[in-house]
Amino acid sequence: MLFVGLGLWWSEIGILPRVVNSQDETLDKRPDYFAMEWEEGTLLTKKQTPFFIEVETMGNQSISLLTDENNRPRLYTADIVTPVCADGECRLMYLTLYWNLLGGYVGFDKVEGQELTKHDHEEFTDPDYEKLHQLLLDDNSILKRKKIDELVERPATSEADGVDATSGATIAEVKESVVDGALYSCFVAWNIAHGEVKRELLDNTAGLFNLEMKHYMLNSNDVDYQMYALKSFEEGDFIAFKERIVEMFRESIPLIRTYIVQNLPELFWRSDSLQIPFWESFDAIDINNRSLLLNHLETAPKEVLLSLSANMGLMTKNQLKTYLMGVEDLVKENSLLAKELDSFAHSKSNTYAYIVEEFLEDLE
Amino acid sequence: MKLIVLTFSLLCINLAVSQDMLIEAEGFEDKGGWVVDPQFVEQMGSPYLLAHGMGVPVENAKTRVIFNKDGEYKVWVRTKNWVPGNWEPPGKFQLKINNKVLQSILGQRSGWGWELAGTVSIRKKKNSVELVDLTGFNGRIDAIYFTTSDAEPPSSMKKLATWRKTVTQEPLAPNITKKFDLVVVGGGIAGCAASIAAAEQGLNVALIHDRPVLGGNASSEIRVHTLGIYGHFERILKKLDTEHYPNGSPEAYKDQEKRDNNVKSYKNISLFLNWRAYDAKAIENRINYVDARQTASGERIRFEAPLFIDSTGDGWIGYWAGAEFTYGRESVDKYGEHWEEHGELWSPKQPDNAVMGSSVLWRSYEAEGNENFPEVPWAMPVARDYAKVKGEWQWEFSRNDLNQIDDAEEIRDHMLRAIYGSFANAKKQAENANRKLEWVSYLVGKRESRRLVGDYIFTLNDAKSGEKFHDAVVMETREVDVHYQTVLEDEKNPDFISEALFYKTPKYYIPYRSLYSKNISNLFMAGRNFSTSHVGLGGPRVMRTTGQMGAAVGFAASLCKKYEVDPRDIYTGYLDEYLTLIENQKYTPIPDSKQ
Ligand SMILES: Cc1cc2nc3c(=O)[nH]c(=O)nc-3n(C[C@H](O)[C@H](O)[C@H](O)COP(=O)(O)OP(=O)(O)OC[C@H]3O[C@@H](n4cnc5c(N)ncnc54)[C@H](O)[C@@H]3O)c2cc1C
């Protein structure tokens, strides 16, 4: 249940909301503000779901599932009309919201003829809408932890500019993320987009989850989809999808890479051909994931130990130490490697040349 | 003026008798604008002097040195270039001996080790040595070594410690031993509260703290404000906590004075400020003593007591004594700390060594006129295009190849690069023409490192359920918040900025069993190194809560003394009396003099 305002009941102020006719039973264009990819020619069709958002005085606003031509679930959507009340004055806010299959907010459409307005009755500009969109995309927004009155009242501190916790969260911090002069609208919209509905939609998707959806999510650029698909993996899936996994390991965000390298079945570290593609990504990935990869140095094939020497310049101090420990025996028998270490140690441009130098000294 | 006490020894090197003299930089009589940095002793071997001038060269440090023998001395300096790379080293300095500058520019080598400053001809007994800072950007010097031999002193940490002892002819154990009822190590809010609670109950307490001022992260040197509730200990904690000013605010000085005065007002607290514990010896799982060293003079004392409290934040005492400890994140299944909404960021499927990071707070101000700030190319690989004029708690750094203890110097230095680089970027914007750095801490403020294991490990589930343990001694209403580095979600983000995830909980409690070591029988712990999981620490790491822990163990210690028992025995045999003692704290009025 969501109601924000100063105790004014909608019916009491005598404005009747415009009826939003869910005239559009299909969606064939990219929503005005949208965080996902949209392929030209996509045609999504609305299907009823049992879910709705309850808005006080406005009744239930139902949520639909949008499916593609092959009847595959792709998005959820709802036409929202909700009162926004501030300083004794209420207005209606119209928005068509979109959620992805995990219940995460992904975008909105403006409702024709119903521009959002600010406290001074000015209409939202394009940058305002964009800011609203960015705010709604932030599922960890400061709005999440605050009641509306906490957001408008100045905290007692003199120059509060951010703290390491909730109490005394600052106007400054809020200001940065909300549309100027439209705190209430932003607050209401955020709470609708991130309300109970999130959980319900996610549960609904879980019930629909199948192999097709696993493929779809795994191949998506959306990192939440990627993670969801990965988390559904059985051991065999890592093999079945191994090309895509390597690709994600190279190209996705650090968090996804970490999940992959940390959860690859033992089998991968026992097989040269299965693990080599991951090592080959060493130069393309972030520092944290390089460390996690280096944890597997002990089971890495010799050719990997050798080829990694080309990447010593990318390693942090501790990573380099780990690597050197890993090749301690190899370097004694492999003169090529020894030579490479030696030239690294004597190059002026390597920050950690001295680490290799000390290592070589200790070897002697 | 007292002359620096120097050890002078004869060493046989290459069969020739040589004259050697080691001067610890932190022992300089007049430190000028250089500051003593004792934060990384365990990693690099000694406190050192740091030229923390925020880009403006600091005043020379000076000392006098007595030589027993004339001669030609090679002068070695133990230092390091703290940002090696394709640029001029940021922290350069020179040595001046008897008013003559030695030509070598120091602070150029990678990794701690010796640089040759030059050769001097010593012709008199009393000589002067000065450190001349050239950059104001954190040049550092650990020691100066005068020798008539040709051998370079050892750089490797393994050999260095032995070498140092030989050169200084330091005996194995401290010469002085002091005995107390209770030894508290670490004077953060937790350690201070513990000392006061125990002292009020009549114990003779030693509080060993490696800084000149008390309060740890809440001190005027780090400037984090205290959060959390007072629980049973409002009276004690109000003597120590802070107002709710922004982190980094100079308002911290006022609370600093209050805190220091309050602790000093207890006659039976022997305060050892600028003393850093460096060892704890346990025999059969009982700590016999803690050894500590004065951070500037190097003087040493052995502290004996039947009871010890580890409130170092880093669990040092427990670590040295062999107490069980944990570091990093447990797997989500270990304690069932799952939170759907933030999944792997909150608690990972596989355990790892990620922890919340450390911060360096800083601020700048509007000066009257135009202010220049130098180019800092060595900072740019970290700062990239980030431009800011101040830093709050989000300026935080943690990376899985760096241990928050072992690599603390690198972490601090990374933050300094982030700060100087971001400020240099901001200075390029017209609106910041008058901006000047006001304060950059050189102390790294930590959030999480070792967590000592107690009879009970506090977890998120205890916070979620709000279970009122039968031995509950600490309570809190603050949400559990766990930080992560934003670069994990987007590599375009700077790697030194974090975000907090807040989990709303009901009022929750911490049991006494989380405040003493599982395997070291006379060791309490209070502060962020108490017995908790990674996520569990997310709530009670704040400083009124850690203060409550301190007070709680301080009172427990008084009962240990009364019955001559160990911490665990209070739980098994004297819990009622203990809880009553704590409960009664609520009703003890605050004397006017202490308000
Ligand atoms: C930037 C930042 C923002 C934060 N925000 C908040 C906030 O808003 N409010 C809040 O309450 N908390 C906050 N925290 C968390 C809180 O400051 C820490 O959890 C704090 O460390 C808890 O206090 P403590 O007494 O356990 O440890 P500390 O405050 O770290 O105190 C331990 C002290 O022991 C000393 N010590 C260590 N080893 C030795 C030794 N061997 N010998 C002698 N002395 C030693 C150290 O110098 C240190 O001062 C923040 C932390 C950071 C870094």
Side-chain angles (χ1 to χ4, degrees), chain A residues 36 73-74 76 100-104 198-234 237-238 241 244-245 248 252-253 255-257 259-260 263, chain B residues 338-345 349:
Chain A
M36 299 183 76
R74 286 301 177 253
Y76 294 99
N100 66 17
L101 292 170
L102 307 175
K198 214 169 183 164
R199 172 89 252 158
E200 290 170 353
L201 299 183
L202 179 62
D203 288 349
N204 190 56
T205 298
L208 303 171
F209 195 74
N210 57 15
L211 189 62
E212 184 282 324
M213 214 189 269
K214 190 185 283 191
H215 269 275
Y216 170 66
M217 289 195 180
L218 203 62
N219 287 304
S220 157
N221 283 334
D222 184 297
V223 292
D224 292 333
Y225 279 2
Q226 293 176 2
M227 186 62 95
Y228 191 82
L230 286 170
K231 289 214 151 183
S232 76
F233 270 26
E234 312 271 332
D237 289 329
F238 283 95
F241 294 104
R244 174 61 184 152
I245 301 246
M248 282 159 67
S252 193
I253 61 167
L255 197 65
I256 296 287
R257 292 184 188 132
Y259 188 85
I260 292 173
N263 290 282
Chain B
H338 180 66
W339 185 15
E340 177 83 51
E341 213 170 315
H342 295 296
E344 288 283 308
L345 279 180
K349 187 163 170 203

Side-chain angles (χ1 to χ4, degrees), chain A residues 164, chain B residues 185-190 208-211 215-217 224-227 247 275-277 311-312 316 320 359 393 445-447 527-528 541-543 546:
Chain A
D164 203 16
Chain B
V185 186
I189 300 296
I208 305 170
H209 184 53
D210 64 354
R211 301 299 311 158
N217 280 359
V224 176
H225 58 231
T226 55
L227 288 176
N247 290 324
W275 282 77
R276 185 169 171 95
S311 45
T312 60
W316 275 118
W320 288 317
S359 294
W393 63 265
K446 290 183 190 161
R447 288 186 179 77
R528 63 182 160 79
R541 75 173 183 282
V542 293
M543 293 179 285
T546 57

Side-chain angles (χ1 to χ4, degrees), chain A residues 78-133:
Chain A
D79 297 318
I80 304 287
V81 192
T82 177
V84 176
C85 301
D87 304 330
E89 194 191 334
C90 291
R91 273 163 298 145
L92 288 176
M93 174 165 74
Y94 293 81
L95 276 180
T96 298
L97 291 177
Y98 297 94
W99 294 267
N100 66 17
L101 292 170
L102 307 175
Y105 163 87
V106 287
F108 69 84
D109 267 324
K110 296 192 270 184
V111 172
E112 223 186 302
Q114 300 294 333
E115 297 285 336
L116 300 192
T117 54
K118 307 189 215 175
H119 295 335
D120 55 9
H121 300 280
E122 288 265 320
E123 288 187 353
F124 268 45
T125 60
D126 286 346
D128 290 337
Y129 280 113
E130 181 57 39
K131 193 162 185 189
L132 174 65
H133 178 49

